[in-house]
């Protein structure tokens, strides 16, 4: 029987699992994700699972990779520097559609060009301006191209992409290749995020493939897409944006495989995020509006999921307003103090002891910083470079690195670029203090907990000087915020609305009082009405209390900690391709293809031509992805109108899906 190897590279841990014949988990293992060299963490996890199982590497017929790195990077604002070429739009569109916020200071040029809704050229492409802009070194690691009505005629996007490759040699992300739908600004945003991830995902795949070969594993590598389907490693390199929500999607597929549940909420807690989705009929739903990650709504097909910046390594913030004070968690991930103390114990403990000897809390107590080697550092400001050079290769207290207030902003920019990592107090530290975890340095966690507990509230009193009670306060807050994430997802998926946004409903006083089963003159009883499947390495520690809080059955599968890695190998290869037929004039039906528009005299012939092209493309890509026993299904969304007692064709959107089992090497 062939063995299947699943690997999941998350923000904190890299998991590996071996499954026999898609039926039984025979071994699983974890290793810390090593961001400076991803191959190190992948290798340790795979070596551990091979050692535990005693398996022969020649028996492994397929390897598959899921990852939360793309999701985490977008949530945390990280990734490579991107240049945007925006064709046929107005300069102010960058601001009004949120592109400037997504670019976050990265370069962009707006040039003349683009097409109209029928695919005809609106204006000639301004190649001269583009060439002059590209001649300057913008420090971009990749470029994004989006043209007005680029899905109706991609000629200008393709021409601009060719120029970029010729002049810069950098990778290019074209918006029409990521989505066949209209909405140029949203496609542009998707292309920008795709370009930002190219280097990161390419590096991950390269490291994973290299390590597997080094271990003697010759099986082909697959990658999990954001909708839970499998694609080839090469396809993932070309469209890394499709791997956003890859890890969470794999975990849902894994949850369904492990539990057999038909209708449930799935909540997966990682180091950086908590991802909540709904299983209906044992399958995750696809988000019709496109994947949302952090503040960004993309045009990528992915599971309908709410991603919240809440995880075991979320930064703890002290709320010093009000008489009682309190804490909040996230959305930024930081290195737990207990973890960075493992790396540099002498430095970390000496600094923590010095901070404890101080008579008053310091702004940078428990904060350490280290550089992440091997990350592209192009386009940095002079002040950013100065701070990065000062950090060097060691672990340092942040207070020693920052000389001025201005440099604190420089440090934030370096963190966003993924060039450095900062430590802080996290729920993982709290769990070490309470004895729920014992992976890292508990003594460092105790000292950090005492330091954060000395901070003052609005009454002038310490927040909580007892490390154990301070740790419990943090865990209670994690329970509260996880409950809110579940309630928001539940309200969002209800068939009937309640007149308020899900976030408001989850926090509504009636909802919160109902969770405590208020009984006065009025009785209020609220909660989650379906089982919740808790996933993630720390689910067993945190989620029983969450289940009690929201009054539901909490299912914690045996292999909940490696659900992503399991989902990576039990999924199917699925390729979807969509296209549009329009009618620019009576009796003329236009098919919009990558090669340009084609006109037909009859609607049925136009739709048949598009369907044939999409079917061939989907089959070809499914075969390239490693699928066998491929089946094809087609869906037509036909829009018509009544005019003078007859039906008039307006537009048709055709979607073809090719699906098959992943090919397993003999």
């Amino acid at each position: 029987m062939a063995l299947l190897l699943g690997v999941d590279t998350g923000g904190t841990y890299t998991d590996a699992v071996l499954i026999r014949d898609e039926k039984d988990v025979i071994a699983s293992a974890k290793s810390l994700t090593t961001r400076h060299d991803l191959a190190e963490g992948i290798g340790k996890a795979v070596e551990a699972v091979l050692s535990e199982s005693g398996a022969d590497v020649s028996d492994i017929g397929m390897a598959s990779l899921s990852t939360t790195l793309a999701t985490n990077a977008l949530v945390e604002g990280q990734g490579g520097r991107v240049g945007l070429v925006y064709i046929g739009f107005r300069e102010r569109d960058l601001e009004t559609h949120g592109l400037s916020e997504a670019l976050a200071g990265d370069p962009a040029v707006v040039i003349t060009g683009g097409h109209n809704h029928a695919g005809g050229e609106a204006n000639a492409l301004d190649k001269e301006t583009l060439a002059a802009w590209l001649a300057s070194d913008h420090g971009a690691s990749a470029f994004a191209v989006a043209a007005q009505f680029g899905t109706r005629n991609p000629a200008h996007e393709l021409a601009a992409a060719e120029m970029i490759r010729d002049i810069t040699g950098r990778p290019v992300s074209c918006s029409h290749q990521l989505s066949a739908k209209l909405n140029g600004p949203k496609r542009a945003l998707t292309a920008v995020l795709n370009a930002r991830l190219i280097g990161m995902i390419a590096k991950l795949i390269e490291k994973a493939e290299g390590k597997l070969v080094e271990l003697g594993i010759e099986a082909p590598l697959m990658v999990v897409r954001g909708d839970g389907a499998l694609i080839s490693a090469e396809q993932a390199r070309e469209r890394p944006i499709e791997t956003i929500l890859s890890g969470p999607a794999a975990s849902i597929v894994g949850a369904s495989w492990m539990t057999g549940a038909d209708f449930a909420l799935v909540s997966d807690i990682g180091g950086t995020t908590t991802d909540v989705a709904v299983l209906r009929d044992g399958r995750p739903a696809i988000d019709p509006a496109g994947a949302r990650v952090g503040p960004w709504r993309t045009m990528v097909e992915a599971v309908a999921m709410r991603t919240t910046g809440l995880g075991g390594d979320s930064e703890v913030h002290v709320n010093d307003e009000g008489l009682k004070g309190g804490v909040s968690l996230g959305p930024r991930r930081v290195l737990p103090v207990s973890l960075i103390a493992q790396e540099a114990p002498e430095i970390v403990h000496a600094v923590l002891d010095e901070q404890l000897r101080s008579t008053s809390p310091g702004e940078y107590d428990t904060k350490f910083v280290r550089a992440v080697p091997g990350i592209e550092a192009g386009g940095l400001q002079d002040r950013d470079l100065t701070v990065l050079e000062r950090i060097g290769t060691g672990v340092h207290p942040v207070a020693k690195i920052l000389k001025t207030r201005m440099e604190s902003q420089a440090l934030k920019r370096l963190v966003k670029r993924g060039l450095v990592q900062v430590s802080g107090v996290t729920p993982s530290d709290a769990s070490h203090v309470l004895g729920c975890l014992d992976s890292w340095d508990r003594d460092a966690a105790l000292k950090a907990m005492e330091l954060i507990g000395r901070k003052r509230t609005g009454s002038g009193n310490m927040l909580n000087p007892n490390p154990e009670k301070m740790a419990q306060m943090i865990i209670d807050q994690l329970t509260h915020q996880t409950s809110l994430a579940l309630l928001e997802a539940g309200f969002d998926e209800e068939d009937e609305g309640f007149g308020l946004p899900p976030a408001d409903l989850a926090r509504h006083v009636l909802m919160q009082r109902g969770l405590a089963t208020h009984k006065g003159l009025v009785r209020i009883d609220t909660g989650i009405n379906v089982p919740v499947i808790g996933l993630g390495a720390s689910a067993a520690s945190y989620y029983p209390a969450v289940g009690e809080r929201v009054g539901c059955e909490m299912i914690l599968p045996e292999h909940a900690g490696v659900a992503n890695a399991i989902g990576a190998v039990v999924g199917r290869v699925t390729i979807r391709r969509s296209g549009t037929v329009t009618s620019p004039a009576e009796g003329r039906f236009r098919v919009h293809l990558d090669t340009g528009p084609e006109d037909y005299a009859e609607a049925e012939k136009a739709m048949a031509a598009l369907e044939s092209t999409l079917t061939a493309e989907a089959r070809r890509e499914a075969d390239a992805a490693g699928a066998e026993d491929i089946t094809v299904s087609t869906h037509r969304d036909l829009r018509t109108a009544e005019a003078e007692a007859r039906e008039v064709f307006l537009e048709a959107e055709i979607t073809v899906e090719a699906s098959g089992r992943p090919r397993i090497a003999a």
Side-chain angles (χ1 to χ4, degrees):
M1 294 292 184
L3 297 178
L4 309 180
L5 172 65
V7 178
D8 175 68
T9 303
T12 304
Y13 283 106
T14 294
D15 303 334
V17 64
L18 270 179
I19 294 178
R20 180 183 289 112
D21 198 32
E22 301 184 39
K23 293 179 181 178
D24 302 308
V25 176
I26 61 173
S28 64
K30 284 182 172 290
S31 176
L32 283 171
T33 295
T34 46
R35 290 201 178 191
H36 64 283
D37 184 359
L38 295 168
E40 185 180 325
I42 291 171
K44 286 181 178 178
V46 174
E47 286 169 351
V49 83
L50 290 173
S51 175
E52 180 185 331
S53 65
D56 188 326
V57 293
S58 64
D59 291 335
I60 296 175
M62 187 187 80
S64 187
L65 175 71
S66 72
T67 178
T68 60
L69 287 186
T71 309
N72 295 348
L74 298 185
V75 168
E76 297 175 354
Q78 297 180 356
R81 185 172 171 85
V82 173
L84 170 64
V85 178
Y86 207 33
I87 303 168
F89 296 93
R90 298 166 298 183
E91 192 83 36
R92 66 173 180 269
D93 288 340
L94 292 172
E95 294 290 343
T96 55
H97 294 106
L99 281 168
S100 290
E101 184 182 356
L103 285 164
D106 287 359
V109 62
V110 181
I111 60 174
T112 303
H115 293 78
N116 58 35
H117 69 283
E121 186 176 80
N123 291 289
L125 179 64
D126 187 354
K127 295 183 178 181
E128 186 176 337
T129 299
L130 178 57
W133 185 76
L134 291 171
S136 300
D137 182 10
H138 298 285
S141 61
F143 289 84
V145 179
Q148 190 172 40
F149 287 106
T151 54
R152 295 292 168 86
N153 191 333
H156 288 181
E157 287 195 8
L158 294 171
E162 185 178 1
M163 288 180 64
I164 291 169
R165 293 189 189 99
D166 289 345
I167 295 173
T168 70
R170 296 292 189 179
V172 185
S173 172
C174 290
S175 78
H176 78 276
Q177 294 171 339
L178 300 172
S179 175
K181 296 180 180 179
L182 296 178
N183 193 331
K186 195 173 176 182
R187 280 200 327 276
L189 170 66
T190 305
V192 165
L193 299 179
N194 188 65
R196 198 178 295 290
L197 294 170
I198 286 174
M200 178 183 296
I201 297 302
K203 180 180 178 183
L204 170 63
I205 292 171
E206 177 187 346
K207 294 289 187 182
E209 288 181 324
K211 179 53 67 173
L212 293 180
V213 170
E214 184 182 316
L215 293 171
I217 299 171
E218 299 179 356
L221 179 66
M222 309 290 285
V223 179
V224 182
R225 209 169 52 196
D227 61 356
L230 302 179
I231 54 176
S232 70
E234 188 57 38
Q235 289 168 329
R237 282 192 183 96
E238 294 172 0
R239 300 181 178 184
I241 189 71
E242 292 189 355
T243 70
I244 61 172
L245 300 180
S246 159
S251 74
I252 297 172
V253 173
S256 177
W257 185 84
M258 287 187 289
T259 66
D262 284 329
F263 189 31
L265 282 175
V266 180
S267 185
D268 185 1
I269 182 169
T272 307
T273 61
T274 290
D275 307 303
V276 183
V278 179
L279 271 180
R280 295 183 190 273
D281 299 322
R283 295 166 57 91
I286 302 300
D287 191 338
R292 178 187 287 278
V293 181
W296 315 121
R297 172 69 77 176
T298 71
M299 298 189 84
V300 175
E301 284 191 346
V303 292
M305 176 176 293
R306 296 183 75 91
T307 297
T308 305
L310 175 69
D313 298 344
S314 289
E315 185 175 17
V316 174
H317 304 276
V318 173
N319 303 325
D320 54 11
E321 297 180 359
L323 296 179
K324 290 183 65 177
V327 295
S328 61
L329 309 178
R332 188 175 73 157
R333 175 186 181 268
V334 294
L335 283 171
V337 176
S338 52
L339 175 56
I340 202 167
Q342 291 274 97
E343 181 179 330
E346 293 184 5
I347 293 172
V348 172
H349 278 281
V351 171
L352 292 174
D353 289 339
E354 182 182 349
Q355 291 171 350
L356 284 169
R357 286 193 295 270
S358 175
T359 56
S360 59
E363 181 180 0
Y364 298 115
D365 283 356
T366 76
K367 305 290 186 184
F368 296 85
V369 63
R370 71 173 185 195
V372 180
I375 305 296
E376 173 63 43
L380 290 180
Q381 300 178 23
D382 290 344
R383 183 175 283 111
D384 300 8
L385 276 172
T386 299
V387 173
L388 185 59
E389 290 170 0
R390 197 179 295 152
I391 293 169
T393 59
V395 173
H396 307 277
V398 169
K400 178 182 175 182
I401 294 298
L402 300 182
K403 306 299 183 185
T404 66
R405 284 285 178 186
M406 296 292 286
E407 288 185 346
S408 66
Q409 296 303 314
L411 181 60
K412 288 181 180 178
R413 289 190 292 270
L414 292 173
V415 170
K416 277 196 167 186
R417 287 285 299 274
L419 294 166
V420 303
Q421 290 178 299
V422 174
S423 76
V425 176
T426 68
S428 295
D429 292 312
S431 293
H432 278 81
V433 170
L434 296 174
C436 301
L437 291 176
D438 60 358
S439 305
W440 306 323
D441 190 330
R442 182 175 185 270
D443 289 339
L446 275 166
K447 293 175 183 178
M449 212 58 60
E450 184 175 347
L451 282 166
I452 198 172
R454 298 195 313 172
K455 292 183 179 291
R456 302 285 177 174
T457 66
S459 66
N461 296 322
M462 291 184 183
L463 181 60
N464 203 319
N466 182 297
E468 284 79 10
K469 291 182 178 179
M470 184 67 235
Q472 190 60 54
M473 181 187 293
I474 292 170
I475 298 302
D476 289 346
Q477 182 64 22
L478 179 69
T479 300
H480 174 65
Q481 288 184 222
T482 303
S483 301
L484 291 177
L486 288 170
L487 291 168
E488 286 182 35
F491 279 120
D492 197 35
E493 292 293 330
E494 285 283 356
D495 292 333
E496 295 184 15
F498 288 81
L500 289 173
D504 292 352
L505 290 166
R507 291 162 177 79
H508 198 283
V509 61
L510 293 177
M511 187 74 224
Q512 292 300 314
R513 292 283 181 88
L515 292 178
T517 58
H518 171 83
K519 292 180 180 178
L521 294 175
V522 174
R523 183 180 70 253
I524 310 173
D525 189 355
T526 60
I528 298 291
N529 197 39
V530 296
V532 172
I533 303 172
L535 304 177
S538 58
S541 297
Y542 301 139
Y543 277 12
V546 174
E548 290 181 16
R549 172 69 175 160
V550 296
C552 72
E553 178 189 2
M554 181 62 68
I555 302 172
L556 299 171
E558 178 185 356
H559 299 289
V562 291
N564 296 31
I566 290 172
V569 289
V570 298
R572 290 174 61 84
V573 174
T574 302
I575 301 293
R576 296 183 194 87
R577 290 292 172 259
S578 299
T580 306
V581 176
T582 60
S583 181
E586 188 172 356
R588 184 148 50 110
F589 304 94
R590 180 163 292 173
V591 180
H592 298 276
L593 303 170
D594 279 358
T595 53
E598 292 182 7
D599 288 347
Y600 292 81
E602 297 177 21
E604 183 55 41
K605 287 185 177 180
M607 289 188 289
L610 176 58
E611 190 173 312
S612 176
T613 299
L614 294 175
T615 298
E617 183 181 340
R619 272 190 173 276
R620 185 174 61 252
E621 291 203 31
D623 183 68
E628 59 184 12
D629 299 332
I630 298 172
T631 60
V632 176
S633 61
T634 302
H635 174 72
R636 291 184 178 186
D637 183 7
L638 185 63
R639 291 183 279 281
T640 61
E642 292 288 334
E644 298 179 354
R646 64 189 181 94
E647 190 175 57
V648 177
F649 178 97
L650 296 178
E651 185 175 293
E653 183 176 333
I654 298 176
T655 300
V656 173
E657 180 177 292
S659 181
R661 296 184 298 107
R663 194 177 299 122
I664 298 174

